[in-house]
Amino acid sequence: MKKIYINGGKPLLGSIEVGGMKNAALPILFSTILVEDKCIIENLPKISDIKTTLNILTAMGAKIRELSNGSIEVDTKVINCGSMPDELAHTMRGSYYVLGAELGRFGWSEAAFPGGCDFGSRPMDQHIKGFEALGATVIENEDSIKCSSENGLKAASVYLDVASVGATINIMLAATKLEGLTIIDNAAREPHVVDLANFLNSCGADISGAGTEVIKIRGVKTLHGVSYAIIPDMIEAGTFMIAAAATNSTLTITNVIPKHLESITAKLLEMGVTVTELDDAVIVSRNGTPLKRIRVKTIFYPGFPTDMQPQICVLLCLAEGQSTLTEGVFDNRFKYTDELIRMGANITVQGRTATIEGKPELHCANIRAVDLRGGAAMVIAGLATKGVTWIDDIYHIERGYVDLIEKLRAVGADIKKVDIPDITPNGN
Ligand code: EPU
C-alpha cells in the first residue's frame, strides 16, 4: 500500500515549475479522434489520467509514440468506433469525451459511464441535450450511453442550463465537422475550453467565441494534424500558491498564466499573503503574518475554482476567526473536511457551506486522500503541520499531479512516498 509521509512544519523556499493542464490535455487528446491524422502534443502532464487516456486511444486503434523530447505523437487515422474498454472509461471523468468525438467523426458513439471524483450527483443531461439538439438519438443503458443518428446530424443552437465544462466540450467535439453553424449559449468559459478550441482551430476547425458565453462552431469537412503545446495547469499552480501561504514560505511558481490565477491571487491578498505577478510566474510569500478570515464561494470561471476549494479550506483552518466556504458548483465536495477535522480543524458543514473557526495550528494524524483535490489539500495540511502526517489512498492524487513529491522535496519539504507491504493476520 502506497502512502505519503510528511514531516511538516518546515518553511519551503525556491522555485516550482507547473506542468500542462490535466483538464485541457484530456479533451485535446480525445479530440484527436476527429483529426484522423498525426498530431504531436507537447507539455502533456504525465499523470495517471493521461496514461489512461493514451491506453484508451491505443485500445481504440490509435498509434501512440513517445518522442525523445517527452511529447506524444498520436495517429488517429484508424479508430474503431465504440471500442473504448469499459474498465478504463470507469476510472476517470474525461472518458466521456469519447462520446462527442466519436459522434463528430462517425455519426454514432458508445461509451461506458465515466468515473472520476465522487462529489454527489454528476448528471450528463446537458451533454445529452446537446447531442439531441444536433439530431442524435441518445439511449442510456444501465452502464453505458449510446448515441446514433439515423437521419444524420445537423448543426443547431443549444442553450445550456448550466455552464458545464464537460457538456460544452462534448458539444464542440460533436459539431466541429458538422455542416452549418452550431451555437452553444451559456457555454463554460474555463481556460481549458479555450485551449481545446485553439487546438481544433490550429487543426483547421472554425470555432469562435471560446472563453465567452457564446461559442460558434462552423463545421469544416476535414481537419489536419499539428504540433500543439497544452497550457499550464492553473490548479496545480494554485495548489503550490496555497502551499506557500500555509507553510509561511516564499515560492516562485513558474510556467503559469497569471491571468488564470486572478481569483486565487485575489483571495490570498485578502488574507494578507503577498503575491507578486510576473509575466509567466507568480511569487507567493508569507512571513509569519496572521491569515485574515475571509468568505470564499466557488463558481464557474472566472470565479474562484471549485478545484481549489479543498486547498483553500486548509488555509481558512489556519486563519484568525471564522471564515465561510461555499461550494457553488457541485452538490457535495466537502468529504475531505472529515480528514482535516482529524487533524484538529474546526469545520462545520451545512449543505453547500462550511463554517471554519481558524486556529494557529493543526496536529498531525493519519489521514486519507478522499479525492484528487481533497488529496492535494491533505498534502498542504501535512506540510503546514509540525510532526509526521501519513496520507493514504494517494492514487487519487496521482491522477492529477505530476511529480508532486519530487517538486516539493526540491523546495525543502520533508516528504516521501512509502510503499508499505500489506500485512494480513495469518501472514498470507
Ligand atoms: N452538470 C449538470 N448536467 C450536466 C453536466 C454538468 O447538471 O450535463 C452540473 C454538474 O453536476 C456540476 C456542474 O454542472 O454541478 C458543473 O459540472 P461540469 O460539467 O462543469 O464539470 P465536469 O465536466 O464534470 C470538469 C472537470 C472537473 C472540474 C469541473 C468544474 C474534467 C475532466 N473535470 O468536470 O475537474 O471540477 O469541470 O470546473 O475536466 C478535477 O480536476 O479535480 C475536477 C474534478
Side-chain angles (χ1 to χ4, degrees):
M1 185 196 304
K2 292 193 174 65
K3 295 186 181 218
I4 292 178
Y5 159 100
I6 306 172
N7 184 9
K10 300 176 172 119
L12 312 174
L13 182 64
S15 179
I16 299 187
E17 186 175 326
V18 167
M21 185 191 262
K22 168 180 88 82
N23 289 343
L26 293 172
I28 287 175
L29 281 176
F30 284 117
S31 77
T32 63
I33 291 174
L34 291 171
V35 182
E36 303 183 53
D37 196 358
K38 283 184 187 169
C39 289
I40 293 173
I41 312 294
E42 297 161 31
N43 205 28
L44 262 188
K46 303 257 161 65
I47 50 178
S48 63
D49 272 10
I50 295 298
K51 287 180 196 150
T52 308
T53 303
L54 295 174
N55 288 338
I56 290 174
L57 289 170
T58 305
M60 294 176 73
K63 299 227 166 3
I64 310 284
R65 203 159 62 94
E66 178 154 4
L67 307 180
S68 52
N69 60 1
S71 303
I72 299 282
E73 183 188 79
V74 187
D75 179 349
T76 54
K77 286 190 198 90
V78 177
I79 288 286
N80 302 307
C81 190
S83 65
M84 172 164 60
D86 294 2
E87 66 282 7
L88 295 183
H90 291 319
T91 62
M92 61 174 196
R93 197 75 196 156
S95 61
Y96 57 20
Y97 294 134
V98 163
L99 283 171
E102 284 184 340
L103 198 56
R105 173 162 168 180
F106 300 102
W108 69 279
S109 58
E110 186 165 15
F113 281 114
C117 297
D118 176 8
F119 307 142
S121 128
R122 293 180 80 177
M124 288 185 63
D125 57 311
Q126 300 303 303
H127 303 237
I128 292 168
K129 175 178 170 176
F131 294 153
E132 286 178 342
L134 299 178
T137 304
V138 182
I139 297 172
E140 288 183 82
N141 298 315
E142 206 178 305
D143 191 42
S144 65
I145 299 189
K146 190 166 183 178
C147 308
S148 56
S149 58
E150 267 155 42
N151 302 321
L153 296 173
K154 280 199 205 85
S157 290
V158 186
Y159 177 85
L160 294 179
D161 301 333
V162 233
S164 152
V165 169
T168 301
I169 288 180
N170 249 335
I171 298 164
M172 271 168 71
L173 295 174
T176 294
K177 291 170 89 174
L178 201 56
E179 198 184 334
L181 177 66
T182 293
I183 298 176
I184 311 175
D185 205 343
N186 195 27
R189 290 179 281 164
E190 269 68 4
H192 22 304
V193 174
V194 179
D195 207 31
L196 173 67
N198 287 343
F199 167 72
L200 288 170
N201 283 342
S202 70
C203 296
D206 184 354
I207 301 171
S208 57
T212 75
E213 282 164 17
V214 182
I215 298 180
K216 294 186 176 166
I217 306 151
R218 276 180 203 285
V220 295
K221 282 209 166 70
T222 54
L223 298 174
H224 55 79
V226 287
S227 214
Y228 190 84
I230 307 281
I231 52 167
D233 195 320
M234 58 187 250
I235 304 301
E236 186 191 3
T239 302
F240 292 129
M241 292 169 79
I242 304 273
T247 54
N248 260 312
S249 303
T250 298
L251 286 180
T252 303
I253 298 143
T254 64
N255 189 34
V256 302
I257 299 173
K259 174 112 190 88
H260 294 170
L261 302 173
E262 272 173 358
S263 63
I264 304 164
T265 300
K267 284 296 163 193
L268 286 175
L269 293 173
E270 214 180 310
M271 293 187 82
V273 178
T274 306
V275 183
T276 311
E277 284 183 7
L278 308 176
D279 284 348
D280 61 355
V282 285
I283 304 170
V284 180
S285 179
R286 179 174 157 232
N287 190 7
T289 39
L291 294 166
K292 294 183 195 142
R293 70 197 182 99
I294 55 164
R295 286 180 184 187
V296 182
K297 179 170 183 188
T298 70
I299 199 68
F300 301 105
Y301 188 85
F304 190 87
T306 173
D307 290 347
M308 287 299 301
Q309 190 246 88
Q311 299 91 315
I312 201 153
C313 184
V314 177
L315 217 49
L316 303 183
C317 290
L318 299 169
E320 287 184 327
Q322 189 183 85
S323 297
T324 57
L325 178 55
T326 302
E327 171 59 37
V329 177
F330 289 106
D331 280 350
N332 182 2
R333 202 169 185 170
F334 284 118
K335 291 197 173 132
Y336 68 89
T337 54
D338 286 343
E339 305 303 306
L340 291 177
I341 290 169
R342 289 154 75 91
M343 297 182 79
N346 188 344
I347 307 172
T348 314
V349 177
Q350 265 193 322
R352 283 184 167 211
T353 297
T355 305
I356 301 148
E357 295 290 343
K359 39 167 70 179
E361 50 190 46
L362 301 177
H363 56 74
C364 46
N366 293 345
I367 50 176
R368 52 184 285 265
V370 298
D371 55 46
L372 167 54
R373 309 302 172 186
M378 295 309 118
V379 172
I380 296 171
L383 292 171
T385 305
K386 286 192 199 103
V388 173
T389 296
W390 286 95
I391 307 175
D392 244 325
D393 293 343
I394 62 171
Y395 58 90
H396 286 294
I397 303 173
E398 292 172 343
R399 284 190 38 227
Y401 289 88
V402 191
D403 296 338
L404 179 66
I405 290 167
E406 292 74 8
K407 287 181 182 184
L408 289 168
R409 281 174 75 85
V411 292
D414 186 358
I415 179 170
K416 59 187 173 187
K417 185 156 92 175
V418 182
D419 204 348
I420 299 172
D422 281 331
I423 301 169
T424 57
N426 343 338
N428 293 322

